[in-house]
Amino acid sequence: MRASVLLFLIVGGCAAATHYFVTLGVDWATGIAPAWSNLIGFLCAFPVSYLGHRNLSFAGTKAPHRTALPKLMAVSGTAFVGNQIMLAALLEYTPLPLWLALGIVLFFVALSTWLLGRYWAFAHPPA
């Protein structure tokens, strides 16, 4: 369990960094609305998350890709909806800049993603 948590933190950190820096890069380069740059960041980070968790964090899983991938997509999609709502609220109702608001949001979304990944998306099927 400790190794799984450590690997999750490493993979999650890489996925979060991908999401964070792509979002900020797209925002900086294009000036599009933060919701759109956040979506692009999420879409770039998802493969990092899935492949890293599949091969490292939850490497012992026996769940086939056809089961785990849709579940992690559901987990990640749900987390992204929460991410968008929290980010929009922080940007609308606080003076926080995008870089700080996004960092706060990604931090709080990470725990729920781990719990759902561990106990649902990559859970071992019953014997």
Side-chain angles (χ1 to χ4, degrees), residues 93-105:
Y93 300 112
T94 71
L96 295 175
L98 175 61
W99 66 269
L100 183 55
L102 183 61
I104 291 168
V105 168

Side-chain angles (χ1 to χ4, degrees), residues 13-58:
C14 290
T18 300
H19 186 153
Y20 185 80
F21 289 114
V22 168
T23 299
L24 294 181
V26 168
D27 180 70
W28 176 80
T30 67
I32 63 175
W36 289 108
S37 56
N38 192 36
L39 174 62
I40 294 167
F42 166 77
L43 292 174
C44 290
F46 181 80
V48 174
S49 177
Y50 179 75
L51 293 172
H53 290 314
R54 175 72 188 195
N55 295 312
L56 298 172
S57 307
F58 308 116

Side-chain angles (χ1 to χ4, degrees), residues 15 44 73 93 109 114:
C44 290
M73 287 175 80
Y93 300 112
V109 169
W114 181 80

